[in-house]
Amino acid sequence: MVFPHASVSRRSFLRGAGVIAALPFLESIAPQVVRAGSMTPVRPPVRLGIYTVAGGTVIESWVPKETGDLGKLPSILRPLQDHKDDLLILSNLSQSGNSDGKVNAHEHCAYLHLTGVDKVGKTDGKPFAGISLDQRAAELVGNGSLMSSLRFGYSGGETSYFFDRSGRSLPVERDPRLAFDSMFKGRQLVAPNWSRRLGQAGSTGLNTPEMRTYERLVVDLILEDAKSLQGQLGRTDQAKLKEYLDAVDSIERRVQRLQERIAQEAEDLKDPGPSRPNAPRQMPADRNASQKMVQLVGRNPAVHADYIRLMIDLMILAFQTDTTRVCSLGIGSDEALFPGVVTVGYEHHAHTLEHHGNAARVEDADPVAREGCRQIHAWYTQLFAEAVAKMKSIDEGGTSLLDNTLLLYTSYMADGGHGRRNYPALLAGKAGGTLKTGRHISYQKDTPVSNLYTEILARFGDQSGTFGNNRTSPKQAYDGRLPNLI
């Protein structure tokens, strides 16, 4: 860098060079600090969990015949019978978005699944779609969580559901060992004491001398040196310096947030919340064991079930320890085999059952294959019911983790025939008291799924009333919203 009108001392130059070198250093150490830290809460926060499975569902065995208060649940949802008062079943939600003709039917459904946009497709072989529900929720949660969002499970490739604001497809962590280490390596498991945090709201204790950490001192040095150059620069370099200071300011705020989180978690370790988080018992001992488990998921239903239970436990642990407030599980695979789960006929391959068990008219589908599909989805529901029970048992100081969560159970296709009408959609939990559960609500035919996503995002602070194609779909309804959820 040349300063034609400035007399810059060797010391200033060298210190400035040190400042420049310090920036990537702060970025690189941030994840370590994140793992050691916590957030500044005011009460148990609302979390968003997404449990989405492959293969659609068998809708006549999913949707209750009656609307209003839930009674005996349909056969696929029967494992949730004991938790019906915590459920809200929504029917007649559909996707209307088109594709550009460059994606297959599975990709078409997958890209629309959580984005609810008017059009999806591929450019230069890469998928494009709008921002997905989880990522918009992560934006709204913002700095309130250690990790803005997490994505675990088996989805990916043709079943890519998650997209950032630029439309870029986001990866999912399949390896449970890696997922656990990314959250907790070098960090003690502790549940926040929400009652104490509520009492301390507004007071962070950051002005104490001991909180002037090394990271804080580095940021001060950056600002001191950079600002000393400001009056000596030409217009072009002043603009560059402004961008630089804006970046430093962002780091400064980030460092402060991390310090707050570290302080909060230190307090929690001394005075933890009422629940006791533990590492999942089924956690593979090392990477090799973890990889073997992943490889067996599609071939062995017993391993597949253990894998789903493990990923569910990781999601619950992430919520319980306030590691994240947005976690998505892409569960199941169209290519999985289900011997023992499917007890009718001779076919156990999910994809084959999906195609044979679906037709334009249900009565034209192979009834044995359709029963096989029903059994697979009842099996998915049994595992989901275990998640609901665990979350309900976790006390957060007078309310349960389930009370403070909005847990969406759905599928990336409406049915195994690549259907996009009348998706399975179930909400579990009360989302901090913003949902009235224990009911089935049937909306008008083909109400956009994006209406539901708009409602979910409103519970995380998005008051725009717009998401996906809720206001542009040819099937738009209810002014882009879903009435009567509360």
Side-chain angles (χ1 to χ4, degrees), residues 164-235:
D164 67 14
R165 181 160 287 282
S166 70
R168 181 172 57 100
S169 176
L170 300 176
V172 171
E173 181 55 74
R174 287 190 171 188
D175 188 315
R177 183 80 244 177
L178 283 180
F180 180 82
D181 287 347
S182 70
M183 293 190 290
F184 300 112
K185 189 173 184 179
R187 177 183 172 213
Q188 295 187 54
L189 296 178
V190 61
N193 184 330
W194 297 109
S195 297
R196 193 201 67 252
R197 291 190 181 193
L198 177 61
Q200 293 178 341
S203 174
T204 64
L206 289 177
N207 293 326
T208 55
E210 58 269 26
M211 292 308 297
R212 289 185 61 80
T213 62
Y214 174 73
E215 293 81 15
R216 175 70 258 170
L217 292 173
V218 169
V219 170
D220 287 346
L221 179 62
I222 292 170
L223 293 174
E224 176 189 340
D225 279 13
K227 288 176 180 177
S228 70
L229 295 173
Q230 203 162 20
Q232 307 172 47
L233 304 178
R235 183 172 300 177

Side-chain angles (χ1 to χ4, degrees), residues 41-118:
V42 292
R43 57 180 55 86
V46 176
R47 291 78 157 196
L48 173 61
I50 299 174
Y51 179 96
T52 183
V53 302
T57 193
V58 178
I59 202 68
E60 69 272 19
S61 300
W62 168 285
V63 177
K65 293 180 179 177
E66 305 295 331
T67 58
D69 292 345
L70 293 175
K72 185 177 180 179
L73 297 177
S75 64
I76 287 180
L77 299 184
R78 197 72 48 76
L80 287 161
Q81 188 67 43
D82 289 345
H83 309 294
K84 66 181 178 66
D85 291 342
D86 295 300
L87 311 179
L88 187 55
I89 301 172
L90 311 172
S91 58
N92 283 329
L93 304 182
S94 303
Q95 297 276 13
S96 61
N98 297 314
S99 83
D100 65 354
K102 299 178 182 177
V103 295
N104 65 35
H106 289 269
E107 292 168 326
H108 186 179
C109 292
Y111 300 170
L112 285 177
H113 178 33
L114 296 175
T115 63
V117 293
D118 282 319

Side-chain angles (χ1 to χ4, degrees), residues 47-49 315-322 324-327 401:
R47 291 78 157 196
L48 173 61
M315 177 183 72
I316 293 173
L317 196 59
F319 287 159
Q320 188 181 10
T321 57
D322 203 33
T324 191
R325 297 175 184 178
V326 181
C327 187
L401 178 59

Side-chain angles (χ1 to χ4, degrees), residues 51 79-81 83 312 380-390:
Y51 179 96
L80 287 161
Q81 188 67 43
H83 309 294
I312 286 172
Y380 284 137
T381 302
Q382 176 59 51
L383 296 164
F384 179 77
E386 293 175 15
V388 169
K390 286 181 181 178

Side-chain angles (χ1 to χ4, degrees), residues 92-96 112-114 116 410 420 422-423 425 446-455 467 469-470 482:
N92 283 329
L93 304 182
S94 303
Q95 297 276 13
S96 61
L112 285 177
H113 178 33
L114 296 175
T410 184
R420 297 189 294 278
N422 202 6
Y423 273 77
D446 291 335
T447 295
V449 174
S450 52
N451 287 30
L452 169 60
Y453 298 162
T454 302
E455 291 293 340
F467 185 80
N469 67 352
N470 73 320
L482 290 184

Side-chain angles (χ1 to χ4, degrees), residues 36 51 107 265 291 351 413 451:
Y51 179 96
E107 292 168 326
E265 190 153 294
Q291 283 297 305
H351 199 179
M413 297 189 292
N451 287 30

